[in-house]
Amino acid sequence: MYPYRFSNLVVGYLNLGTLLASIPIIGAGLWLAKGSTSTCSSILQTPLLVIGFVVLLISLAGFVGACFHVAWALWLYLLAIMLLIAFLLGITAFGFAVTAGGGGTQIPGRPYREYHISDYSSWLQNHMQDMKYWRPALACVVGSKACAKIENWTPMDYLQHDLTPIQSGCCKPPTACQYSGGMPVGAQDEDCYRWNNAPNVLCYQCNSCKAGVMEQIRQDWHKISVLNVIVLGALICICACGCCAFRNARHSLSQYPYGVNRMSKINPRWDYYWWRWWRDRREQLY
């Protein structure tokens, strides 16, 4: 009988839980891939499927290795965990770097903020200027119906209620714009001329709209980065338990389930004495 190992038990239960949790993640990705017609939702399907299958495979390897003392499965499990830790470290550092800055400018007398492209990192600016990325982002903005929620607001509502970054940048002209008869007056920001009151135009082509999307990305990335830090801590703990379980699995396959007797390295006859003692002890217990 294999000796009882607390680390194996912990790793086994942890990976059983994550294995079961990967099933709804994969199911959600398959559902989005099959039945979703929204551009925003379809963007999520590939990350969901990849994350779900990676978690499933890693958890399966860790569960089998820890519970059945399969050393090679635990070796693969530990390698995958270390790669995940390195990947999360890299993406967390990258996320904090590209989302530096931003935050918007508070408008005097208004509860909302306005956003400017120049406040964000050059990588994020180039990302949004590329039409390959901007078109699906704009389709997501239009499909979210964020502007429809404030289309009946009065001027008093803008003085009393806050706006999301997308509503502030895409659903209204900049607050500094001045109009006469529906036309901009004098030299003003280019966005003042791009604004149109038509529901399908609004300020969707404004730089402020791109800035609002970038601010939303910045906020979401900060939340994901905080979550990544928590996950990193959990993965490091699991990796430590996995190292112990890997050592235990190797010991359970050797003639010394409780570890090698160091005295055998000094005197080979200790091997025989140790084996006799361990056999007699087992007979007394069983």
Side-chain angles (χ1 to χ4, degrees):
M1 176 180 287
Y2 292 124
Y4 175 83
R5 304 288 187 180
F6 178 72
S7 58
N8 294 58
L9 185 65
V10 171
V11 173
Y13 277 116
L14 284 174
N15 287 281
L16 177 62
T18 53
L19 189 149
L20 295 175
S22 67
I23 296 175
I25 297 176
I26 295 174
L30 292 174
W31 177 81
L32 287 172
K34 182 179 180 181
S36 177
T37 57
S38 170
T39 304
C40 295
S41 297
S42 63
I43 293 174
L44 297 175
Q45 68 189 32
T46 301
L48 280 175
L49 288 173
V50 171
I51 292 172
F53 279 111
V54 168
V55 171
L56 175 66
L57 294 176
I58 292 177
S59 301
L60 185 62
F63 180 74
V64 172
C67 294
F68 298 98
H69 301 270
V70 181
W72 65 267
L74 274 175
W75 186 86
L76 291 177
Y77 166 76
L78 290 175
L79 178 62
I81 288 292
M82 291 177 183
L83 290 176
L84 268 180
I85 291 174
F87 173 77
L88 284 176
L89 279 173
I91 196 135
T92 301
F94 176 77
F96 278 121
V98 301
T99 57
T105 304
Q106 184 67 51
I107 303 301
R110 307 293 177 98
Y112 57 82
R113 292 174 174 266
E114 290 187 345
Y115 307 93
H116 307 279
I117 286 183
S118 58
D119 294 338
Y120 298 89
S121 66
S122 57
W123 183 90
L124 204 54
Q125 292 182 42
N126 295 333
H127 194 76
M128 281 294 102
Q129 295 292 351
D130 190 339
M131 295 304 296
K132 180 175 64 175
Y133 299 106
W134 174 241
R135 283 195 186 97
L138 181 59
C140 180
V141 171
V142 176
S144 68
K145 301 186 183 300
C147 295
K149 298 176 183 178
I150 64 171
E151 63 180 357
N152 294 322
W153 276 20
T154 65
M156 186 61 65
D157 291 322
Y158 285 95
L159 295 174
Q160 297 176 346
H161 302 290
D162 197 5
L163 297 172
T164 66
I166 289 177
Q167 289 174 334
S168 176
C170 304
C171 306
K172 67 171 189 61
T175 304
C177 293
Q178 297 180 1
Y179 295 92
S180 176
M183 298 296 293
V185 178
Q188 302 186 63
D189 191 297
E190 292 181 358
D191 286 347
C192 299
Y193 295 90
R194 296 188 179 107
W195 161 260
N196 191 300
N197 203 36
N200 61 334
V201 179
L202 298 179
C203 215
Y204 292 139
Q205 299 303 322
C206 298
N207 287 330
S208 62
C209 188
K210 294 179 180 179
V213 173
M214 286 192 284
E215 176 62 22
Q216 194 65 55
I217 293 173
R218 188 188 74 88
Q219 294 179 5
D220 292 342
W221 277 25
H222 276 194
K223 294 176 184 177
I224 293 173
S225 297
V226 172
L227 179 62
N228 284 346
V229 172
I230 298 174
V231 172
L232 275 172
L235 285 177
I236 291 173
C237 293
I238 293 175
C239 188
C241 291
C243 290
C244 296
F246 177 70
R247 183 190 61 188
N248 296 339
R250 293 187 63 183
H251 285 173
S252 66
L253 297 176
S254 67
Q255 61 175 325
Y256 303 109
Y258 293 95
V260 177
N261 185 0
R262 294 182 179 179
M263 292 300 296
S264 63
K265 297 180 180 179
I266 302 176
N267 186 351
R269 291 181 62 84
W270 273 99
D271 285 343
Y272 174 74
Y273 295 137
W274 173 257
W275 176 80
R276 286 288 303 271
W277 177 87
W278 181 75
R279 186 192 65 179
D280 296 341
R281 182 64 176 170
R282 185 177 60 177
E283 290 175 355
Q284 293 176 5
L285 292 175
Y286 299 101

XYZ file of all heavy atoms in Angstrom, residues 114-192:
618
model
N -14.219 62.908 -19.987
C -13.999 62.786 -21.426
C -12.577 62.297 -21.674
O -11.665 62.543 -20.870
C -14.255 64.121 -22.135
C -15.731 64.495 -22.152
C -16.041 65.723 -22.977
O -15.085 66.471 -23.309
O -17.227 65.951 -23.284
N -12.387 61.633 -22.801
C -11.152 60.887 -23.031
C -10.513 61.321 -24.344
O -11.203 61.672 -25.313
C -11.461 59.381 -23.036
C -12.213 58.960 -21.800
C -13.613 58.924 -21.792
C -11.546 58.627 -20.630
C -14.308 58.557 -20.658
C -12.234 58.269 -19.487
C -13.620 58.238 -19.504
O -14.311 57.901 -18.374
N -9.169 61.267 -24.352
C -8.405 61.728 -25.508
C -7.388 60.657 -25.888
O -6.733 60.056 -25.020
C -7.694 63.046 -25.192
C -8.619 64.107 -24.661
N -9.410 64.884 -25.478
C -8.892 64.505 -23.384
C -10.130 65.710 -24.739
N -9.832 65.503 -23.464
N -7.242 60.441 -27.185
C -6.351 59.382 -27.679
C -4.919 59.578 -27.192
O -4.218 58.621 -26.859
C -6.396 59.340 -29.224
C -7.718 58.723 -29.688
C -5.226 58.540 -29.784
C -7.817 58.585 -31.191
N -4.472 60.803 -27.135
C -3.073 61.085 -26.783
C -2.717 60.673 -25.359
O -1.531 60.615 -25.014
C -2.776 62.577 -26.972
O -3.647 63.373 -26.171
N -3.723 60.382 -24.525
C -3.449 60.009 -23.139
C -3.046 58.548 -22.994
O -2.657 58.132 -21.899
C -4.690 60.261 -22.272
C -5.027 61.739 -22.161
O -4.114 62.559 -22.380
O -6.194 62.072 -21.872
N -3.119 57.774 -24.061
C -2.903 56.338 -23.956
C -1.585 55.936 -24.615
O -0.962 56.716 -25.340
C -4.084 55.587 -24.585
C -5.390 55.875 -23.875
C -6.178 56.949 -24.272
C -5.788 55.129 -22.793
C -7.362 57.244 -23.608
C -6.976 55.413 -22.119
C -7.749 56.475 -22.533
O -8.911 56.783 -21.854
N -1.173 54.706 -24.361
C 0.113 54.224 -24.872
C 0.085 54.159 -26.396
O -0.966 54.005 -27.024
C 0.409 52.832 -24.299
O -0.528 51.878 -24.776
N 1.256 54.269 -26.991
C 1.354 54.246 -28.459
C 0.903 52.904 -29.018
O 0.316 52.835 -30.103
C 2.797 54.540 -28.887
O 3.698 53.610 -28.312
N 1.145 51.809 -28.288
C 0.711 50.488 -28.757
C -0.806 50.430 -28.851
O -1.360 49.952 -29.842
C 1.207 49.403 -27.810
C 0.864 48.008 -28.277
C 1.610 47.189 -29.070
C -0.346 47.287 -27.984
N 0.950 46.006 -29.294
C -0.257 46.039 -28.636
C -1.493 47.571 -27.236
C -1.263 45.070 -28.564
C -2.501 46.619 -27.170
C -2.383 45.388 -27.819
N -1.487 50.948 -27.834
C -2.948 50.937 -27.831
C -3.498 51.870 -28.898
O -4.505 51.566 -29.555
C -3.460 51.331 -26.441
C -4.868 50.849 -26.035
C -4.982 49.350 -26.187
C -5.178 51.264 -24.609
N -2.857 52.998 -29.102
C -3.287 53.916 -30.156
C -3.179 53.266 -31.537
O -4.126 53.325 -32.332
C -2.435 55.188 -30.122
C -2.650 56.058 -28.897
C -1.812 57.325 -28.951
O -1.700 57.960 -30.000
N -1.219 57.705 -27.829
N -2.038 52.651 -31.809
C -1.856 51.987 -33.107
C -2.843 50.838 -33.287
O -3.327 50.585 -34.403
C -0.421 51.476 -33.232
C 0.605 52.594 -33.253
O 0.301 53.718 -33.660
N 1.819 52.308 -32.800
N -3.138 50.170 -32.187
C -4.087 49.053 -32.245
C -5.466 49.544 -32.659
O -6.139 48.907 -33.489
C -4.151 48.386 -30.865
C -4.820 47.054 -30.866
N -4.210 45.919 -31.333
C -6.066 46.676 -30.464
C -5.024 44.894 -31.212
N -6.163 45.329 -30.688
N -5.891 50.676 -32.128
C -7.209 51.201 -32.448
C -7.249 51.909 -33.807
O -8.291 51.972 -34.442
C -7.659 52.181 -31.357
C -8.192 51.525 -30.095
S -9.729 50.605 -30.323
C -9.107 48.911 -30.360
N -6.130 52.416 -34.261
C -6.100 53.079 -35.565
C -6.142 52.063 -36.706
O -6.531 52.412 -37.826
C -4.834 53.941 -35.692
C -4.757 55.107 -34.721
C -5.797 56.194 -35.010
O -6.478 56.177 -36.023
N -5.933 57.130 -34.073
N -5.745 50.843 -36.434
C -5.784 49.791 -37.449
C -7.236 49.377 -37.681
O -7.915 48.909 -36.766
C -4.953 48.592 -36.977
C -4.744 47.567 -38.088
O -5.538 47.561 -39.059
O -3.802 46.769 -37.985
N -7.721 49.498 -38.927
C -9.119 49.210 -39.234
C -9.466 47.750 -38.993
O -10.628 47.409 -38.755
C -9.422 49.596 -40.692
C -9.314 51.086 -40.967
S -10.385 52.072 -39.864
C -12.004 51.509 -40.358
N -8.472 46.878 -39.054
C -8.734 45.461 -38.809
C -9.253 45.231 -37.395
O -10.050 44.323 -37.140
C -7.446 44.659 -39.042
C -7.594 43.162 -38.806
C -6.321 42.419 -39.179
C -5.157 42.831 -38.276
N -3.934 42.010 -38.556
N -8.809 46.063 -36.452
C -9.271 45.958 -35.075
C -10.403 46.937 -34.769
O -11.261 46.652 -33.934
C -8.096 46.214 -34.120
C -6.972 45.218 -34.266
C -5.773 45.580 -34.897
C -7.093 43.917 -33.791
C -4.742 44.672 -35.041
C -6.062 43.010 -33.931
C -4.897 43.386 -34.557
O -3.878 42.493 -34.705
N -10.390 48.089 -35.458
C -11.395 49.094 -35.138
C -12.782 48.700 -35.636
O -13.778 48.977 -34.973
C -10.982 50.446 -35.706
C -12.042 51.498 -35.542
C -12.679 52.184 -36.531
C -12.600 51.962 -34.306
N -13.595 53.056 -36.000
C -13.568 52.939 -34.627
C -12.375 51.655 -32.971
C -14.311 53.599 -33.664
C -13.119 52.314 -31.997
C -14.068 53.271 -32.348
N -12.870 48.048 -36.792
C -14.181 47.684 -37.328
C -14.952 46.765 -36.376
O -16.118 47.054 -36.057
C -14.027 47.022 -38.695
C -13.738 47.997 -39.827
C -13.962 47.343 -41.184
N -13.551 48.232 -42.270
C -12.374 48.161 -42.870
N -11.488 47.265 -42.478
N -12.066 48.994 -43.842
N -14.361 45.663 -35.905
C -15.124 44.834 -34.949
C -15.387 45.546 -33.629
O -16.426 45.331 -33.002
C -14.243 43.599 -34.756
C -12.885 43.987 -35.218
C -13.090 45.008 -36.283
N -14.460 46.415 -33.207
C -14.700 47.166 -31.965
C -15.871 48.120 -32.134
O -16.725 48.260 -31.251
C -13.441 47.932 -31.560
N -15.944 48.788 -33.295
C -17.048 49.701 -33.562
C -18.364 48.944 -33.673
O -19.403 49.394 -33.176
C -16.781 50.490 -34.842
C -17.845 51.515 -35.254
C -18.039 52.547 -34.146
C -17.463 52.193 -36.565
N -18.337 47.773 -34.324
C -19.545 46.952 -34.403
C -20.009 46.532 -33.015
O -21.215 46.453 -32.747
C -19.270 45.721 -35.270
N -19.056 46.286 -32.134
C -19.400 45.934 -30.753
C -20.055 47.113 -30.052
O -21.037 46.941 -29.317
C -18.142 45.496 -30.013
S -18.396 45.018 -28.294
N -19.529 48.313 -30.284
C -20.100 49.513 -29.662
C -21.535 49.735 -30.135
O -22.445 49.978 -29.342
C -19.233 50.748 -29.981
C -19.934 52.024 -29.541
C -17.878 50.641 -29.292
N -21.733 49.634 -31.439
C -23.076 49.843 -31.989
C -24.033 48.753 -31.496
O -25.183 49.028 -31.130
C -23.022 49.864 -33.529
C -24.428 49.973 -34.116
C -22.162 51.018 -34.018
N -23.561 47.513 -31.469
C -24.411 46.415 -31.033
C -24.750 46.441 -29.560
O -25.761 45.862 -29.138
N -23.919 47.097 -28.757
C -24.180 47.158 -27.317
C -25.346 48.059 -26.963
O -25.845 48.026 -25.833
C -22.933 47.631 -26.579
O -22.653 48.992 -26.891
N -25.766 48.936 -27.919
C -26.884 49.873 -27.711
C -26.642 50.789 -26.502
O -27.580 51.171 -25.792
C -28.211 49.120 -27.545
C -28.549 48.248 -28.749
C -29.928 47.641 -28.626
C -30.223 46.710 -29.799
N -30.172 47.383 -31.098
N -25.374 51.105 -26.277
C -25.053 52.003 -25.165
C -25.629 53.392 -25.397
O -26.080 54.056 -24.456
C -23.534 52.078 -24.983
N -25.638 53.834 -26.659
C -26.147 55.176 -26.949
C -27.668 55.243 -26.856
O -28.233 56.306 -26.555
C -25.680 55.619 -28.335
S -23.880 55.812 -28.470
N -28.331 54.128 -27.136
C -29.792 54.119 -27.066
C -30.285 54.365 -25.642
O -31.405 54.856 -25.432
C -30.335 52.791 -27.591
N -29.451 54.059 -24.666
C -29.860 54.232 -23.270
C -29.906 55.706 -22.856
O -30.538 56.041 -21.849
C -28.894 53.475 -22.358
C -28.879 51.964 -22.613
C -27.829 51.271 -21.759
C -27.774 49.780 -22.067
N -26.709 49.100 -21.273
N -29.237 56.571 -23.597
C -29.212 57.992 -23.217
C -29.760 58.896 -24.321
O -29.613 60.118 -24.237
C -27.774 58.436 -22.853
C -26.863 58.333 -24.071
C -27.214 57.608 -21.699
C -25.484 58.953 -23.850
N -30.395 58.304 -25.349
C -30.852 59.131 -26.474
C -31.976 60.097 -26.087
O -32.180 61.110 -26.767
C -31.311 58.228 -27.621
C -32.504 57.346 -27.298
C -32.898 56.476 -28.481
O -32.274 56.613 -29.563
O -33.823 55.648 -28.323
N -32.691 59.787 -25.006
C -33.792 60.661 -24.573
C -33.403 61.553 -23.390
O -34.272 62.156 -22.764
C -35.022 59.822 -24.210
C -35.613 59.103 -25.410
O -35.647 59.653 -26.508
N -36.069 57.872 -25.199
N -32.104 61.626 -23.109
C -31.666 62.471 -21.999
C -31.877 63.955 -22.352
O -31.723 64.370 -23.504
C -30.194 62.228 -21.707
C -29.947 61.039 -20.814
C -30.791 59.995 -20.573
C -28.760 60.787 -20.058
N -30.214 59.086 -19.720
C -28.972 59.555 -19.378
C -27.561 61.451 -19.880
C -28.011 58.995 -18.544
C -26.598 60.908 -19.055
C -26.825 59.689 -18.385
N -32.187 64.702 -21.318
C -32.264 66.160 -21.436
C -30.925 66.767 -21.007
O -30.102 66.074 -20.390
C -33.392 66.699 -20.552
O -33.065 66.445 -19.176
C -34.720 66.009 -20.883
N -30.702 68.048 -21.301
C -29.459 68.683 -20.821
C -29.272 68.559 -19.317
O -28.135 68.476 -18.832
C -29.621 70.135 -21.258
C -30.485 70.062 -22.464
C -31.451 68.950 -22.201
N -30.361 68.532 -18.554
C -30.264 68.394 -17.101
C -29.720 67.023 -16.720
O -28.984 66.891 -15.734
C -31.636 68.628 -16.462
C -31.607 68.651 -14.930
S -30.558 69.959 -14.260
C -31.451 71.420 -14.833
N -30.074 65.991 -17.486
C -29.578 64.643 -17.190
C -28.059 64.578 -17.308
O -27.395 63.878 -16.529
C -30.219 63.626 -18.144
C -31.698 63.435 -17.881
O -32.078 63.440 -16.692
O -32.473 63.272 -18.845
N -27.486 65.298 -18.269
C -26.034 65.298 -18.438
C -25.336 65.998 -17.270
O -24.139 65.778 -17.051
C -25.655 65.977 -19.751
C -25.931 65.128 -20.972
C -27.118 65.280 -21.679
C -25.010 64.185 -21.401
C -27.378 64.506 -22.803
C -25.262 63.413 -22.527
C -26.445 63.570 -23.216
O -26.708 62.790 -24.332
N -26.066 66.830 -16.540
C -25.488 67.497 -15.375
C -25.604 66.659 -14.113
O -24.946 66.950 -13.113
C -26.200 68.841 -15.150
C -26.026 69.901 -16.237
C -26.904 71.117 -15.930
C -24.563 70.319 -16.361
N -26.434 65.612 -14.146
C -26.724 64.849 -12.938
C -26.235 63.408 -12.975
O -26.045 62.811 -11.918
C -28.241 64.853 -12.681
C -28.820 66.235 -12.416
C -30.329 66.208 -12.266
O -30.982 65.213 -12.614
N -30.898 67.301 -11.761
N -26.037 62.859 -14.154
C -25.736 61.434 -14.258
C -24.371 61.204 -14.901
O -23.939 61.949 -15.782
C -26.822 60.715 -15.067
C -28.197 60.872 -14.501
N -28.608 60.281 -13.329
C -29.275 61.575 -14.953
C -29.868 60.590 -13.070
N -30.290 61.390 -14.042
N -23.748 60.137 -14.481
C -22.437 59.766 -15.023
C -22.615 59.012 -16.337
O -23.689 58.498 -16.657
C -21.684 58.889 -14.021
C -20.203 58.805 -14.326
O -19.745 59.498 -15.252
O -19.507 58.025 -13.637
N -21.549 58.937 -17.113
C -21.545 58.227 -18.386
C -20.412 57.208 -18.399
O -19.351 57.421 -17.794
C -21.350 59.202 -19.554
C -22.422 60.265 -19.781
C -21.948 61.239 -20.856
C -23.742 59.624 -20.201
N -20.627 56.109 -19.088
C -19.548 55.153 -19.299
C -18.558 55.742 -20.299
O -18.888 56.691 -21.030
C -20.096 53.828 -19.834
O -20.636 54.039 -21.147
C -21.184 53.272 -18.927
N -17.338 55.223 -20.367
C -16.375 55.751 -21.355
C -16.902 55.707 -22.787
O -16.677 56.647 -23.563
C -15.163 54.836 -21.171
C -15.240 54.392 -19.748
C -16.705 54.239 -19.460
N -17.610 54.645 -23.154
C -18.145 54.541 -24.510
C -19.249 55.570 -24.724
O -19.317 56.224 -25.784
C -18.641 53.110 -24.772
C -17.447 52.166 -24.879
C -19.490 53.051 -26.041
C -17.815 50.712 -25.065
N -20.137 55.755 -23.759
C -21.202 56.755 -23.897
C -20.626 58.162 -23.978
O -21.099 58.998 -24.749
C -22.168 56.646 -22.715
C -23.039 55.408 -22.746
C -23.886 55.258 -21.500
O -23.526 55.757 -20.419
N -25.013 54.578 -21.614
N -19.589 58.425 -23.201
C -18.990 59.750 -23.207
C -18.298 60.053 -24.528
O -18.346 61.182 -25.019
C -17.987 59.870 -22.050
O -17.313 61.106 -22.087
N -17.654 59.049 -25.127
C -16.888 59.308 -26.341
C -17.640 59.100 -27.631
O -17.347 59.765 -28.630
N -18.631 58.182 -27.649
C -19.273 57.790 -28.902
C -20.691 58.325 -29.066
O -21.205 58.354 -30.190
C -19.315 56.251 -29.016
S -17.702 55.438 -28.884
N -21.350 58.708 -27.983
C -22.777 59.020 -28.049
C -23.084 60.509 -28.001
O -24.256 60.899 -28.054
C -23.516 58.311 -26.913
S -23.225 56.531 -26.848
N -22.081 61.341 -27.888
C -22.294 62.789 -27.813
C -21.042 63.499 -28.326
O -19.958 62.916 -28.355
C -22.577 63.226 -26.369
C -21.386 63.042 -25.446
C -21.624 63.680 -24.117
C -20.354 63.686 -23.282
N -19.242 64.444 -23.893
N -21.166 64.735 -28.736
C -19.968 65.489 -29.126
C -19.194 65.918 -27.887
O -19.741 65.916 -26.770
C -20.547 66.693 -29.874
C -21.879 66.897 -29.236
C -22.402 65.520 -28.899
N -17.944 66.292 -28.031
C -17.211 66.827 -26.884
C -17.939 68.016 -26.264
O -18.578 68.812 -26.964
C -15.867 67.241 -27.490
C -15.711 66.367 -28.685
C -17.089 66.172 -29.217
N -17.863 68.129 -24.951
C -18.590 69.180 -24.238
C -18.164 70.576 -24.693
O -18.968 71.516 -24.694
C -18.362 69.027 -22.724
O -18.741 67.707 -22.326
C -19.189 70.024 -21.941
N -16.939 70.731 -25.133
C -16.437 72.053 -25.535
C -16.968 72.512 -26.884
O -16.795 73.676 -27.250
C -14.911 72.032 -25.561
N -17.614 71.621 -27.634
C -18.113 71.991 -28.956
C -19.232 73.035 -28.847
O -20.065 72.970 -27.935
C -18.625 70.757 -29.693
S -17.340 69.557 -30.124
N -19.246 73.969 -29.797
C -20.285 75.003 -29.858
C -20.980 74.924 -31.218
O -20.325 74.880 -32.253
C -19.674 76.395 -29.648
C -19.025 76.578 -28.283
C -18.426 77.956 -28.102
O -18.512 78.804 -29.009
N -17.828 78.204 -26.947
N -22.311 74.911 -31.174
C -23.095 74.771 -32.404
C -24.086 75.922 -32.521
O -24.573 76.452 -31.517
C -23.850 73.438 -32.411
C -22.948 72.215 -32.458
C -22.521 71.600 -31.279
C -22.527 71.698 -33.669
C -21.689 70.489 -31.317
C -21.692 70.588 -33.728
C -21.280 69.990 -32.539
O -20.458 68.903 -32.596
N -24.381 76.253 -33.765
C -25.408 77.266 -34.052
C -26.250 76.736 -35.200
O -25.725 76.518 -36.307
C -24.769 78.609 -34.422
O -25.762 79.548 -34.775
N -27.519 76.485 -34.909
C -28.384 75.901 -35.926
C -27.972 74.509 -36.316
O -28.173 74.096 -37.455
N -27.369 73.772 -35.388
C -26.933 72.404 -35.666
C -25.608 72.314 -36.359
O -25.143 71.203 -36.674
N -24.932 73.431 -36.605
C -23.637 73.434 -37.279
C -22.570 73.976 -36.339
O -22.814 74.917 -35.573
C -23.698 74.292 -38.542
C -24.696 73.793 -39.582
S -24.265 72.160 -40.231
C -22.748 72.575 -41.101
N -21.361 73.375 -36.373
C -20.284 73.876 -35.518
C -19.859 75.274 -35.919
O -19.872 75.635 -37.104
C -19.156 72.864 -35.730
C -19.469 72.215 -37.023
C -20.941 72.210 -37.165
N -19.492 76.061 -34.934
C -19.142 77.457 -35.161
C -17.653 77.653 -34.879
O -17.164 77.308 -33.805
C -19.969 78.399 -34.261
C -19.561 79.847 -34.485
C -21.451 78.212 -34.521
N -16.937 78.249 -35.845
C -15.542 78.588 -35.622
C -14.633 77.369 -35.660
O -15.025 76.249 -35.982
N -13.364 77.651 -35.346
C -12.358 76.586 -35.322
C -12.493 75.797 -34.026
O -12.336 76.342 -32.928
C -10.960 77.207 -35.438
N -12.781 74.513 -34.169
C -12.983 73.656 -32.999
C -12.307 72.311 -33.232
O -11.679 72.080 -34.270
C -14.482 73.467 -32.737
C -15.267 74.763 -32.516
C -16.701 74.484 -32.112
O -16.960 73.897 -31.069
N -17.646 74.923 -32.941
N -12.451 71.462 -32.253
C -11.930 70.102 -32.364
C -12.567 69.408 -33.571
O -13.744 69.620 -33.881
C -12.243 69.333 -31.075
C -11.507 68.002 -31.005
O -11.765 67.142 -31.875
O -10.697 67.818 -30.085
N -11.782 68.576 -34.243
C -12.292 67.876 -35.422
C -13.520 67.025 -35.094
O -14.381 66.807 -35.957
C -11.190 66.998 -36.017
C -10.042 67.786 -36.624
C -8.989 66.875 -37.224
O -9.164 65.636 -37.109
O -8.019 67.387 -37.789
N -13.586 66.515 -33.875
C -14.735 65.689 -33.505
C -16.039 66.492 -33.529
O -17.120 65.910 -33.702
C -14.525 65.087 -32.110
C -13.495 63.960 -32.117
O -13.141 63.502 -33.228
O -13.053 63.543 -31.033
N -15.951 67.788 -33.328
C -17.159 68.617 -33.376
C -17.772 68.588 -34.770
O -19.001 68.696 -34.925
C -16.834 70.050 -32.975
S -16.178 70.226 -31.288
